[in-house]
Amino acid sequence: MKILVIEDEHALADTLRRAISSDGHWVDVAHDGHSGLELALTGGYDVIVLDLMLPGLSGLEVCRRLRSLDDHALVLILTAKDGEYDEADGLDAGADDYLTKPFSLVVLLARLRALGRRAGRERASTLQVGDLTLDVGARLCKRGERSVELTAREVDVLGCLMAAGGGTVSKQGILDEVWASPADLDPNIVEVYVSSLRRKIDAPFDRHTIRTVRGVGYRLAPDAP
């Protein structure tokens, strides 16, 4: 996903940037409400991590303006305020989720992945990368005009990668998206399915669509014969 962090505490913003990047996402950072709103409106972000107490323009006002302009980015609010009315104000302003400081980075990343799955359900049912197409609903895969037989799990893994729009998806991100109980699984199971997909959608067609991003995960790229 492409994620914007709007947080005025520079040390925390840098920590968030590094943690979210390590989970396989593209991250930009703004440190005040005005620059954050400008980036949010022009950057095409999937999710915005938004602090409430910002200089220049409050997080609530940033969120309200985004929603008034019909911006569809999902918003996760971060705040030191923990009262139920503060949470209600954030949600009423148009936020999609709410996390109170101090928080666990593990929980934050899980919340972001959950928002990513929510966004994914709103994507088109037919995905395409180069001449590779996948009808998610019908579970039909084609390379050009040739059908490619995939198992249900292979369809889910491939769909997760294709929906990233060329971005890198971490092993954990694939686990969270595809498996019902990812905490019980070894992340290396993802390698098994990626290898199987390569044998089916790449090798017979002399392609190299599934790319390994060392230390991060996998991404898809159009590849000529």
Side-chain angles (χ1 to χ4, degrees), residues 84-158:
E84 60 183 16
Y85 290 106
D86 296 313
E87 179 175 354
D89 286 343
L91 296 174
D92 286 343
D96 300 279
D97 202 354
Y98 190 102
L99 199 56
T100 302
K101 298 176 182 178
F103 54 84
S104 161
L105 286 174
V106 172
V107 172
L108 171 67
L109 294 175
R111 295 281 188 93
L112 290 174
R113 291 192 292 268
L115 288 173
R117 290 193 293 275
R118 173 176 167 180
R121 288 193 290 271
E122 298 171 357
R123 294 188 180 103
S125 62
T126 300
L127 302 169
Q128 183 166 0
V129 175
D131 66 348
L132 179 69
T133 58
L134 180 68
D135 185 326
V136 179
R139 295 186 172 273
L140 296 176
C141 179
K142 285 187 175 183
R143 173 70 83 176
E145 296 301 316
R146 291 176 56 184
S147 295
V148 180
E149 293 294 328
L150 300 179
T151 67
R153 188 76 74 187
E154 289 167 347
V155 167
D156 290 339
V157 172
L158 180 59

Coordinates of all heavy atoms in Angstrom, one line a residue, residues 84-158:
E84 N -13.8 8.3 25.4 CA -14.7 7.7 24.4 C -15.3 8.8 23.5 O -15.5 8.6 22.3 CB -15.8 7.0 25.1 CG -16.7 7.8 26.1 CD -17.7 7.0 26.8 OE1 -17.6 5.7 26.7 OE2 -18.7 7.5 27.3
Y85 N -15.4 10.1 24.0 CA -15.9 11.1 23.2 C -14.9 11.5 22.1 O -15.2 11.9 21.0 CB -16.3 12.3 24.0 CG -17.6 12.1 24.8 CD1 -17.5 11.8 26.2 CD2 -18.8 12.0 24.2 CE1 -18.6 11.6 27.0 CE2 -20.0 11.7 25.0 CZ -19.9 11.5 26.3 OH -21.0 11.3 27.1
D86 N -13.6 11.5 22.5 CA -12.5 11.8 21.5 C -12.6 10.8 20.4 O -12.4 11.1 19.2 CB -11.2 11.8 22.2 CG -11.0 12.9 23.3 OD1 -11.4 14.0 23.0 OD2 -10.6 12.6 24.4
E87 N -12.7 9.5 20.8 CA -12.8 8.5 19.8 C -14.0 8.7 18.9 O -13.9 8.6 17.6 CB -12.9 7.1 20.4 CG -13.0 5.9 19.4 CD -12.9 4.6 20.1 OE1 -12.7 4.5 21.3 OE2 -13.1 3.6 19.4
A88 N -15.1 9.0 19.5 CA -16.4 9.2 18.7 C -16.2 10.4 17.8 O -16.6 10.4 16.6 CB -17.5 9.5 19.7
D89 N -15.5 11.5 18.2 CA -15.3 12.7 17.4 C -14.5 12.3 16.2 O -14.7 12.7 15.0 CB -14.5 13.8 18.2 CG -15.5 14.5 19.2 OD1 -16.7 14.4 19.0 OD2 -14.9 15.1 20.1
G90 N -13.4 11.4 16.4 CA -12.6 11.0 15.3 C -13.4 10.2 14.2 O -13.3 10.4 13.0
L91 N -14.2 9.3 14.7 CA -14.9 8.4 13.8 C -16.0 9.2 13.1 O -16.3 9.0 11.9 CB -15.5 7.3 14.6 CG -14.5 6.3 15.2 CD1 -15.2 5.2 16.1 CD2 -13.7 5.6 14.1
D92 N -16.6 10.2 13.8 CA -17.7 11.0 13.2 C -17.1 11.9 12.2 O -17.8 12.3 11.2 CB -18.4 11.9 14.3 CG -19.3 11.0 15.1 OD1 -19.7 9.9 14.7 OD2 -19.7 11.5 16.2
A93 N -15.8 12.3 12.3 CA -15.1 13.1 11.3 C -14.8 12.4 10.0 O -14.4 13.0 9.0 CB -13.9 13.7 11.9
G94 N -15.0 11.1 10.1 CA -14.7 10.3 8.9 C -13.6 9.3 9.0 O -13.3 8.6 8.0
A95 N -13.0 9.1 10.2 CA -11.9 8.1 10.3 C -12.5 6.7 10.2 O -13.6 6.5 10.5 CB -11.2 8.3 11.6
D96 N -11.6 5.8 9.8 CA -12.0 4.4 9.6 C -11.5 3.6 10.8 O -12.1 2.5 11.0 CB -11.4 3.9 8.3 CG -11.9 4.6 7.1 OD1 -13.0 4.3 6.7 OD2 -11.2 5.5 6.6
D97 N -10.5 4.0 11.5 CA -10.0 3.3 12.7 C -9.4 4.3 13.6 O -9.1 5.4 13.3 CB -9.1 2.2 12.3 CG -8.9 1.1 13.3 OD1 -9.5 1.2 14.4 OD2 -8.2 0.1 13.0
Y98 N -9.0 3.8 14.8 CA -8.6 4.7 15.9 C -7.6 3.9 16.8 O -7.9 2.8 17.2 CB -9.8 5.1 16.7 CG -9.7 6.3 17.7 CD1 -10.1 7.5 17.4 CD2 -9.1 6.0 19.0 CE1 -9.9 8.6 18.4 CE2 -9.0 7.0 19.9 CZ -9.4 8.3 19.6 OH -9.3 9.3 20.5
L99 N -6.5 4.5 17.1 CA -5.5 3.9 18.0 C -5.0 4.9 18.9 O -4.5 6.0 18.6 CB -4.4 3.3 17.1 CG -3.5 2.2 17.7 CD1 -4.3 1.0 18.2 CD2 -2.4 1.8 16.7
T100 N -4.9 4.5 20.2 CA -4.5 5.4 21.3 C -3.1 5.3 21.6 O -2.6 4.1 21.8 CB -5.4 5.2 22.6 OG1 -6.8 5.4 22.2 CG2 -5.0 6.2 23.7
K101 N -2.4 6.4 21.8 CA -1.0 6.4 22.2 C -0.9 6.1 23.7 O -1.8 6.6 24.4 CB -0.3 7.7 21.9 CG -0.2 8.0 20.4 CD 0.4 9.4 20.3 CE 0.5 9.9 18.8 NZ 1.0 11.2 18.7
P102 N 0.1 5.4 24.2 CA 1.1 4.6 23.5 C 0.5 3.4 22.9 O -0.4 2.8 23.5 CB 2.2 4.3 24.5 CG 1.4 4.3 25.8 CD 0.3 5.3 25.7
F103 N 1.0 2.9 21.8 CA 0.5 1.7 21.1 C 1.6 0.8 20.7 O 2.8 1.2 20.6 CB -0.3 2.1 19.9 CG 0.4 3.0 18.9 CD1 1.3 2.5 18.0 CD2 0.3 4.4 19.0 CE1 2.0 3.3 17.1 CE2 1.0 5.2 18.1 CZ 1.8 4.7 17.2
S104 N 1.3 -0.4 20.4 CA 2.2 -1.4 19.9 C 2.4 -1.3 18.4 O 1.4 -1.2 17.7 CB 1.8 -2.8 20.3 OG 2.4 -3.8 19.5
L105 N 3.6 -1.3 17.9 CA 3.8 -1.3 16.5 C 3.2 -2.5 15.8 O 2.7 -2.5 14.7 CB 5.3 -1.1 16.2 CG 5.9 0.2 16.4 CD1 7.4 0.1 16.2 CD2 5.3 1.3 15.5
V106 N 3.3 -3.6 16.5 CA 2.7 -4.9 16.0 C 1.2 -4.7 15.8 O 0.7 -5.1 14.7 CB 2.9 -6.0 17.0 CG1 2.2 -7.3 16.5 CG2 4.4 -6.3 17.1
V107 N 0.5 -4.0 16.7 CA -0.9 -3.8 16.6 C -1.2 -2.8 15.4 O -2.1 -3.0 14.6 CB -1.5 -3.3 17.9 CG1 -3.0 -2.8 17.7 CG2 -1.5 -4.4 19.0
L108 N -0.4 -1.7 15.4 CA -0.5 -0.7 14.3 C -0.4 -1.4 13.0 O -1.3 -1.2 12.1 CB 0.5 0.4 14.5 CG 0.6 1.4 13.3 CD1 -0.7 2.2 13.2 CD2 1.8 2.2 13.4
L109 N 0.6 -2.2 12.7 CA 0.8 -2.8 11.5 C -0.3 -3.8 11.1 O -0.8 -3.9 10.0 CB 2.1 -3.6 11.4 CG 3.4 -2.7 11.5 CD1 4.6 -3.6 11.6 CD2 3.5 -1.7 10.3
A110 N -0.9 -4.5 12.2 CA -2.0 -5.4 11.9 C -3.2 -4.6 11.5 O -4.0 -5.0 10.7 CB -2.3 -6.2 13.2
R111 N -3.4 -3.4 12.2 CA -4.6 -2.5 11.8 C -4.4 -2.0 10.4 O -5.4 -2.0 9.6 CB -4.6 -1.3 12.8 CG -4.9 -1.7 14.2 CD -6.4 -1.9 14.5 NE -6.7 -2.1 15.9 CZ -7.1 -1.1 16.7 NH1 -7.2 0.1 16.2 NH2 -7.3 -1.3 18.0
L112 N -3.2 -1.7 10.0 CA -3.0 -1.2 8.6 C -3.3 -2.3 7.6 O -3.9 -2.1 6.5 CB -1.6 -0.7 8.4 CG -1.3 0.6 9.2 CD1 0.2 0.9 9.0 CD2 -2.1 1.8 8.6
R113 N -2.8 -3.6 7.9 CA -3.1 -4.7 7.0 C -4.6 -4.9 6.9 O -5.1 -5.3 5.9 CB -2.4 -5.9 7.5 CG -0.9 -5.8 7.3 CD -0.2 -7.2 7.5 NE -0.3 -7.7 8.9 CZ 0.7 -7.4 9.8 NH1 1.7 -6.7 9.5 NH2 0.5 -7.9 11.0
A114 N -5.3 -4.8 8.1 CA -6.8 -5.0 8.0 C -7.4 -3.9 7.1 O -8.4 -4.2 6.4 CB -7.3 -4.9 9.5
L115 N -7.0 -2.7 7.2 CA -7.5 -1.6 6.4 C -7.2 -1.9 4.9 O -8.0 -1.7 4.0 CB -6.9 -0.3 6.8 CG -7.5 0.3 8.1 CD1 -6.7 1.6 8.5 CD2 -8.9 0.6 8.0
G116 N -6.0 -2.5 4.7 CA -5.6 -2.9 3.3 C -6.6 -3.9 2.8 O -6.9 -3.9 1.6
R117 N -6.9 -4.9 3.6 CA -7.9 -5.9 3.1 C -9.2 -5.3 2.8 O -9.9 -5.7 1.9 CB -8.0 -7.0 4.2 CG -6.8 -7.9 4.4 CD -7.0 -9.1 5.2 NE -7.3 -8.8 6.6 CZ -6.4 -8.7 7.5 NH1 -5.2 -8.7 7.2 NH2 -6.8 -8.5 8.8
R118 N -9.6 -4.4 3.7 CA -10.9 -3.7 3.4 C -10.9 -2.9 2.1 O -11.8 -3.0 1.3 CB -11.2 -2.7 4.6 CG -12.4 -1.8 4.3 CD -12.6 -0.9 5.5 NE -13.6 0.1 5.2 CZ -14.0 1.1 6.1 NH1 -13.5 1.0 7.3 NH2 -14.8 2.0 5.8
A119 N -9.8 -2.2 1.8 CA -9.6 -1.5 0.6 C -9.6 -2.5 -0.6 O -10.2 -2.3 -1.7 CB -8.3 -0.7 0.6
G120 N -9.0 -3.7 -0.4 CA -8.9 -4.7 -1.4 C -10.2 -5.2 -1.9 O -10.4 -5.5 -3.0
R121 N -11.2 -5.3 -0.9 CA -12.5 -5.8 -1.2 C -13.2 -4.8 -2.2 O -14.2 -5.2 -2.8 CB -13.3 -6.1 0.0 CG -12.8 -7.3 0.8 CD -13.8 -7.6 1.9 NE -13.9 -6.7 3.0 CZ -13.1 -6.7 4.0 NH1 -12.2 -7.6 4.2 NH2 -13.2 -5.8 5.0
E122 N -12.8 -3.6 -2.2 CA -13.4 -2.6 -3.0 C -12.8 -2.5 -4.4 O -13.3 -1.7 -5.2 CB -13.4 -1.2 -2.3 CG -14.1 -1.2 -1.0 CD -13.9 0.0 -0.2 OE1 -13.1 0.9 -0.7 OE2 -14.5 0.2 0.9
R123 N -11.7 -3.2 -4.6 CA -11.1 -3.2 -5.9 C -11.9 -3.9 -7.0 O -12.7 -4.8 -6.7 CB -9.6 -3.7 -5.8 CG -8.7 -2.9 -4.9 CD -7.3 -3.5 -5.1 NE -6.4 -2.7 -4.2 CZ -5.9 -3.1 -3.1 NH1 -6.3 -4.3 -2.6 NH2 -5.1 -2.4 -2.3
A124 N -11.5 -3.7 -8.2 CA -12.2 -4.4 -9.3 C -11.9 -5.9 -9.2 O -10.9 -6.3 -8.8 CB -11.7 -3.9 -10.7
S125 N -12.9 -6.7 -9.6 CA -12.8 -8.1 -9.5 C -11.8 -8.7 -10.5 O -11.3 -9.8 -10.3 CB -14.1 -8.8 -9.6 OG -14.7 -8.5 -10.9
T126 N -11.5 -8.0 -11.6 CA -10.6 -8.4 -12.6 C -9.3 -7.7 -12.5 O -9.3 -6.4 -12.6 CB -11.1 -8.3 -14.0 OG1 -12.3 -9.1 -14.1 CG2 -10.1 -8.8 -15.0
L127 N -8.2 -8.4 -12.3 CA -6.9 -7.7 -12.1 C -6.0 -8.1 -13.3 O -6.1 -9.1 -13.9 CB -6.2 -8.2 -10.8 CG -7.0 -8.0 -9.5 CD1 -6.4 -8.8 -8.3 CD2 -7.1 -6.6 -9.2
Q128 N -5.1 -7.1 -13.6 CA -4.2 -7.4 -14.8 C -2.9 -6.8 -14.5 O -2.7 -5.7 -14.0 CB -4.9 -6.7 -16.0 CG -4.0 -7.0 -17.3 CD -4.8 -6.7 -18.6 OE1 -5.9 -6.3 -18.5 NE2 -4.2 -6.9 -19.7
V129 N -1.8 -7.5 -14.9 CA -0.5 -7.1 -14.9 C 0.1 -7.6 -16.2 O 0.3 -8.8 -16.4 CB 0.4 -7.7 -13.7 CG1 1.8 -7.2 -13.8 CG2 -0.2 -7.2 -12.4
G130 N 0.4 -6.6 -17.1 CA 0.9 -7.0 -18.5 C -0.2 -7.9 -19.2 O -1.4 -7.5 -19.2
D131 N 0.2 -9.0 -19.7 CA -0.8 -9.9 -20.3 C -1.4 -11.0 -19.4 O -2.0 -11.9 -19.8 CB -0.3 -10.5 -21.6 CG 0.8 -11.5 -21.3 OD1 1.4 -11.5 -20.2 OD2 1.2 -12.2 -22.3
L132 N -1.1 -10.8 -18.1 CA -1.6 -11.7 -17.1 C -2.8 -11.2 -16.5 O -2.8 -10.0 -16.0 CB -0.5 -11.9 -16.0 CG -0.9 -12.9 -14.8 CD1 -1.0 -14.3 -15.3 CD2 0.1 -12.8 -13.7
T133 N -3.9 -11.9 -16.6 CA -5.2 -11.4 -16.0 C -5.7 -12.5 -15.0 O -5.5 -13.7 -15.2 CB -6.3 -11.2 -17.1 OG1 -6.5 -12.4 -17.8 CG2 -5.8 -10.1 -18.0
L134 N -6.5 -11.9 -14.0 CA -7.1 -12.8 -13.0 C -8.5 -12.3 -12.7 O -8.6 -11.2 -12.2 CB -6.2 -12.8 -11.7 CG -6.7 -13.7 -10.6 CD1 -6.6 -15.2 -11.0 CD2 -5.9 -13.4 -9.3
D135 N -9.4 -13.1 -12.9 CA -10.8 -12.8 -12.5 C -11.0 -13.4 -11.1 O -11.1 -14.6 -11.0 CB -11.8 -13.4 -13.5 CG -13.3 -13.1 -13.2 OD1 -13.6 -12.9 -12.0 OD2 -14.0 -12.9 -14.2
V136 N -10.9 -12.6 -10.1 CA -10.9 -13.0 -8.7 C -12.2 -13.8 -8.4 O -12.2 -14.8 -7.8 CB -10.7 -11.9 -7.8 CG1 -10.7 -12.4 -6.3 CG2 -9.4 -11.2 -8.1
G137 N -13.3 -13.2 -8.8 CA -14.6 -13.8 -8.5 C -14.8 -15.2 -9.1 O -15.2 -16.1 -8.5
A138 N -14.5 -15.3 -10.4 CA -14.6 -16.6 -11.1 C -13.4 -17.5 -10.9 O -13.4 -18.6 -11.3 CB -14.8 -16.3 -12.6
R139 N -12.3 -16.9 -10.3 CA -11.1 -17.7 -10.1 C -10.5 -18.2 -11.4 O -10.1 -19.4 -11.5 CB -11.3 -18.8 -9.1 CG -11.6 -18.3 -7.7 CD -11.7 -19.3 -6.6 NE -11.8 -18.7 -5.3 CZ -10.8 -18.3 -4.5 NH1 -9.6 -18.5 -4.9 NH2 -11.0 -17.8 -3.3
L140 N -10.5 -17.3 -12.4 CA -9.9 -17.7 -13.7 C -8.7 -16.9 -14.0 O -8.7 -15.7 -13.9 CB -11.0 -17.5 -14.8 CG -12.2 -18.3 -14.7 CD1 -13.2 -17.9 -15.8 CD2 -11.9 -19.8 -14.9
C141 N -7.6 -17.6 -14.4 CA -6.3 -16.9 -14.7 C -6.0 -17.2 -16.1 O -6.1 -18.3 -16.6 CB -5.2 -17.5 -13.7 SG -3.6 -16.7 -14.0
K142 N -5.5 -16.1 -16.8 CA -5.0 -16.3 -18.2 C -3.7 -15.6 -18.4 O -3.5 -14.5 -17.8 CB -6.1 -15.7 -19.1 CG -7.3 -16.5 -19.3 CD -8.2 -16.0 -20.4 CE -9.4 -16.9 -20.7 NZ -10.2 -16.3 -21.9
R143 N -2.9 -16.1 -19.2 CA -1.7 -15.5 -19.7 C -2.0 -15.3 -21.2 O -2.0 -16.2 -22.0 CB -0.4 -16.3 -19.5 CG 0.8 -15.8 -20.2 CD 1.3 -14.5 -19.5 NE 2.1 -14.8 -18.3 CZ 2.7 -13.9 -17.6 NH1 2.6 -12.6 -17.9 NH2 3.4 -14.2 -16.5
G144 N -2.3 -14.0 -21.6 CA -2.7 -13.8 -22.9 C -4.1 -14.5 -23.2 O -5.0 -14.3 -22.4
E145 N -4.1 -15.3 -24.1 CA -5.4 -16.1 -24.4 C -5.4 -17.5 -23.8 O -6.3 -18.2 -23.9 CB -5.6 -16.2 -25.9 CG -5.8 -14.8 -26.6 CD -7.0 -14.1 -26.1 OE1 -8.1 -14.8 -25.8 OE2 -7.0 -12.9 -25.8
R146 N -4.3 -17.8 -23.2 CA -4.1 -19.2 -22.6 C -4.6 -19.2 -21.2 O -4.1 -18.4 -20.4 CB -2.7 -19.7 -22.8 CG -2.3 -20.0 -24.2 CD -0.9 -20.4 -24.3 NE -0.5 -21.5 -23.5 CZ 0.7 -22.0 -23.4 NH1 1.7 -21.4 -24.0 NH2 0.9 -23.1 -22.6
S147 N -5.4 -20.1 -20.8 CA -5.8 -20.3 -19.4 C -4.7 -21.0 -18.6 O -4.0 -21.8 -19.1 CB -7.1 -21.2 -19.4 OG -8.2 -20.5 -20.0
V148 N -4.6 -20.6 -17.4 CA -3.7 -21.2 -16.4 C -4.4 -21.8 -15.3 O -5.2 -21.1 -14.6 CB -2.7 -20.1 -15.9 CG1 -1.7 -20.8 -15.0 CG2 -1.9 -19.5 -17.1
E149 N -4.3 -23.1 -15.0 CA -5.0 -23.7 -14.0 C -4.3 -23.4 -12.6 O -3.1 -23.7 -12.5 CB -5.1 -25.2 -14.2 CG -5.9 -25.6 -15.4 CD -7.4 -25.3 -15.2 OE1 -7.8 -25.4 -14.0 OE2 -8.1 -25.0 -16.2
L150 N -5.0 -22.8 -11.7 CA -4.5 -22.5 -10.3 C -5.4 -23.1 -9.3 O -6.6 -23.2 -9.5 CB -4.4 -21.0 -10.1 CG -3.5 -20.2 -11.1 CD1 -3.6 -18.7 -10.7 CD2 -2.1 -20.7 -11.1
T151 N -4.8 -23.5 -8.2 CA -5.6 -23.9 -7.0 C -6.2 -22.7 -6.4 O -5.8 -21.5 -6.7 CB -4.7 -24.6 -6.0 OG1 -3.8 -23.7 -5.4 CG2 -4.0 -25.8 -6.6
A152 N -7.2 -22.9 -5.5 CA -7.9 -21.8 -4.8 C -6.9 -20.9 -4.1 O -6.9 -19.7 -4.1 CB -9.0 -22.3 -3.9
R153 N -5.9 -21.6 -3.4 CA -5.0 -20.8 -2.6 C -4.0 -20.0 -3.5 O -3.6 -18.9 -3.2 CB -4.2 -21.8 -1.7 CG -3.3 -21.0 -0.7 CD -4.1 -20.5 0.5 NE -4.5 -21.5 1.4 CZ -5.3 -21.3 2.4 NH1 -5.8 -20.1 2.6 NH2 -5.7 -22.2 3.2
E154 N -3.6 -20.6 -4.6 CA -2.8 -19.9 -5.5 C -3.4 -18.7 -6.1 O -2.8 -17.7 -6.3 CB -2.3 -20.9 -6.7 CG -1.3 -22.0 -6.2 CD -1.2 -23.1 -7.2 OE1 -2.0 -23.1 -8.2 OE2 -0.2 -23.8 -7.1
V155 N -4.7 -18.8 -6.4 CA -5.5 -17.7 -6.8 C -5.5 -16.5 -5.8 O -5.3 -15.4 -6.1 CB -7.0 -18.1 -7.2 CG1 -7.8 -16.8 -7.3 CG2 -7.0 -18.9 -8.4
D156 N -5.6 -16.9 -4.5 CA -5.7 -15.9 -3.5 C -4.3 -15.2 -3.3 O -4.2 -14.0 -3.2 CB -6.0 -16.5 -2.1 CG -7.5 -17.0 -2.1 OD1 -8.3 -16.4 -2.9 OD2 -7.9 -17.8 -1.3
V157 N -3.2 -16.0 -3.4 CA -1.9 -15.4 -3.3 C -1.6 -14.5 -4.5 O -1.1 -13.4 -4.3 CB -0.8 -16.5 -3.2 CG1 0.6 -15.9 -3.2 CG2 -1.0 -17.3 -1.9
L158 N -1.9 -15.0 -5.7 CA -1.7 -14.2 -6.9 C -2.5 -12.9 -6.8 O -2.1 -11.8 -7.2 CB -2.0 -15.0 -8.1 CG -1.8 -14.3 -9.5 CD1 -0.4 -13.8 -9.6 CD2 -2.2 -15.2 -10.6

